[in-house]
Structure formats: structure tokens, C-alpha cells
């Protein structure tokens, strides 16, 4: 069965500092991997996704993630945090077998001035 | 622009009452999903549909039902609301049939069961 583990339910970084949100997955077949962001009182929106091809994926708002099969990881990074990045971030996995997505429990990102 | 809407946005009800949450999408997507979001659990799948007249149970389907009579709508019914069903509910849709497709989410319905 697929699963996703996000390390750290809360992460705090200073404005301008590197953002690193960790995600590890478990899947018996090649995965599709996603990062979604949820701003307060809103639904989720896609930041980026990996399906096939290049393992470094660039998304919106300056975020990127790298698929590392050997480490079963898909960590999300951004070189310089902005106050507007404060939100909850969800890592998710699916695969070829169906269209369902399994979500991690989420990481709330706090940006310190 | 295409969108996915949910109504009501906020609902307070009493235990034992039947409640229906509406979801409407104008993406013309075949796939539609209902999730609930709770602290410490992330998003959990309640029911999903791959097309008209198709419905399937998700991870936490007990006490919930859905029906799909057209492409645009997937209403979620709580047959007899329980306090454990107090949550934020999200509807989502995606284009079928390729896996790896992006899911588009509605704004959510916050439900309080007293």
C-alpha cells in the first residue's frame, strides 16, 4: 500500500532563509508525487508534481522538489522564504493503478520576520 | 473560468440529522472526490466517482453516501450526523483517465455537528 510521511508537522524559518519541507513515500510501483499548498480558509492547490522524466521539478512561487528514488524522498525547497509562503503544505502520492491520491498529514510553514 | 464550488461554506447541525453538502464543477472532469480534513490526519478520502452512475468507497466512508447523476455534481450526504463527523470537507475533481492528473479542489465546507 502507498503511504506518505511528512517530517515535522510545523516548520519555522526566517524570512529570506531556505525552506526545506521533507517528504518520504512508500510505493511498490513507480510513483507519481505531488506537493499541494493550502492557504488559510482555502482549498488545496497544486504547487508541483512529478510523473516521469526530469527528477527536479519546478513549481509555482519559486518552489521546487527533487524525486530521489534511492531515498524514496520528494523534499520541497525554496531558496528564500517570503511571508506569503506561510501556509500548510501537503505531500501526496499516487501511481499508475488508479487516480486516487494518498496525502500526507501536512506541514505548517511559519515565516518569522 | 472553470471552477469547483461547494455549498454551504459553513453548516451547523444536530446529531441525527441528515445533511447534504453540495459540490459542483465546471471543468467537465470525469473524476470527483470527497475528502475530510482533520487535525493530525491530513486529508482522508471519503468517496469518489469516475463518472456518471459510478461511486466508490474511500478510506473513511462509514456514515456517508454519494450519488452521481451528472458530470458536474457529486453531493455528499451524511445520513445521520454524528459529532465525529465535525470536520472540514473538500471536494476535488480531476481529468480522467490518466493517473498523475492534478486534482482541483473546492474551497471547503466547515461542518459542526452538535
Amino acid at each position: 500500500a502507498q503511504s506518505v510521511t511528512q517530517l515535522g508537522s510545523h516548520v519555522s524559518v526566517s524570512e529570506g532563509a531556505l525552506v526545506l519541507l521533507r517528504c518520504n513515500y512508500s510505493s511498490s510501483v513507480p510513483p507519481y508525487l505531488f506537493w499541494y499548498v493550502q492557504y488559510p480558509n482555502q482549498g488545496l492547490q497544486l504547487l508541483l508534481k512529478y510523473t516521469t522524466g526530469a527528477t527536479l521539478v519546478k513549481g509555482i512561487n519559486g518552489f521546487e522538489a527533487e524525486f530521489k528514488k534511492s531515498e524514496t524522498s520528494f523534499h520541497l525547497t525554496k531558496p528564500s522564504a517570503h511571508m506569503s509562503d506561510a501556509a500548510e503544505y501537503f505531500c501526496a502520492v499516487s501511481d499508475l493503478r488508479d487516480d486516487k491520491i494518498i496525502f500526507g498529514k501536512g506541514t505548517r510553514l511559519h515565516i518569522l520576520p | 473560468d472553470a471552477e469547483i464550488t461547494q455549498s454551504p461554506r459553513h453548516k451547523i447541525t444536530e446529531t441525527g440529522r441528515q445533511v447534504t453538502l453540495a459540490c459542483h464543477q465546471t471543468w467537465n472532469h470525469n473524476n470527483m472526490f470527497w475528502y475530510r480534513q482533520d487535525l493530525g490526519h491530513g486529508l482522508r478520502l471519503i468517496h469518489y466517482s469516475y463518472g456518471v452512475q459510478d461511486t466508490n468507497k474511500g478510506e473513511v466512508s462509514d456514515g456517508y453516501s454519494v450519488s452521481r447523476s451528472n458530470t458536474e455534481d457529486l453531493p455528499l450526504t451524511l445520513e445521520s450526523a454524528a459529532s465525529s463527523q465535525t470536520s472540514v470537507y473538500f471536494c476535488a475533481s480531476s481529468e480522467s483517465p490518466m493517473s498523475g492528473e492534478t486534482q482541483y479542489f473546492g474551497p471547503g465546507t466547515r461542518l459542526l455537528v452538535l
Side-chain angles (χ1 to χ4, degrees):
Chain A
Q2 298 168 298
S3 66
V4 173
T5 302
Q6 292 183 239
L7 297 176
S9 58
H10 292 266
V11 170
S12 296
V13 301
S14 297
E15 191 173 17
L18 171 72
V19 175
L20 171 61
L21 303 183
R22 299 178 185 275
C23 173
N24 289 89
Y25 70 91
S26 171
S27 178
S28 58
V29 297
Y32 298 133
L33 295 160
F34 307 80
W35 276 100
Y36 282 83
V37 61
Q38 183 182 30
Y39 297 104
N41 299 314
Q42 295 185 27
L44 282 70
Q45 62 183 86
L46 184 72
L47 264 183
L48 51 80
K49 68 178 180 181
Y50 168 79
T51 52
T52 59
T55 56
L56 181 63
V57 181
K58 295 186 185 298
I60 62 172
N61 301 335
F63 284 93
E64 62 183 35
E66 187 170 11
F67 169 56
K68 292 187 176 180
K69 183 178 178 180
S70 61
E71 299 178 6
T72 61
S73 70
F74 191 58
H75 302 331
L76 182 70
T77 61
K78 181 174 179 178
S80 177
H82 191 273
M83 295 300 291
S84 61
D85 295 327
E88 188 151 22
Y89 293 80
F90 292 91
C91 183
V93 63
S94 72
D95 62 47
L96 279 171
R97 293 170 295 187
D98 61 43
D99 292 323
K100 296 196 300 295
I101 295 179
I102 306 299
F103 286 88
K105 294 183 178 182
T107 297
R108 186 166 296 276
L109 177 63
H110 305 270
I111 310 298
L112 307 173
Chain B
D1 285 347
E3 61 177 353
I4 181 166
T5 57
Q6 294 183 236
S7 62
R9 294 293 313 276
H10 302 270
K11 175 77 176 177
I12 301 174
T13 192
E14 296 176 341
T15 55
R17 289 190 180 267
Q18 184 180 80
V19 176
T20 296
L21 309 183
C23 174
H24 179 79
Q25 53 99 1
T26 58
W27 292 96
N28 200 33
H29 287 162
N30 285 322
N31 295 354
M32 294 184 74
F33 308 84
W34 272 105
Y35 297 89
R36 60 179 289 174
Q37 183 179 24
D38 304 285
L39 275 175
H41 291 280
L43 275 80
R44 293 181 290 175
L45 184 63
I46 305 171
H47 282 286
Y48 58 102
S49 168
Y50 288 153
V52 176
Q53 302 301 332
D54 176 74
T55 61
N56 306 279
K57 294 181 178 181
E59 178 188 356
V60 290
S61 60
D62 287 349
Y64 303 94
S65 63
V66 293
S67 62
R68 187 91 179 270
S69 58
N70 58 53
T71 300
E72 296 79 19
D73 299 291
L74 186 70
L76 177 72
T77 297
L78 286 67
E79 293 138 11
S80 177
S83 57
S84 60
Q85 294 176 309
T86 292
S87 186
V88 182
Y89 292 86
F90 288 98
C91 181
S93 70
S94 69
E95 192 171 4
S96 186
M98 300 299 293
S99 297
E101 287 293 322
T102 300
Q103 289 191 9
Y104 296 87
F105 283 78
T109 294
R110 190 173 295 272
L111 177 67
L112 174 61
V113 183
L114 299 175

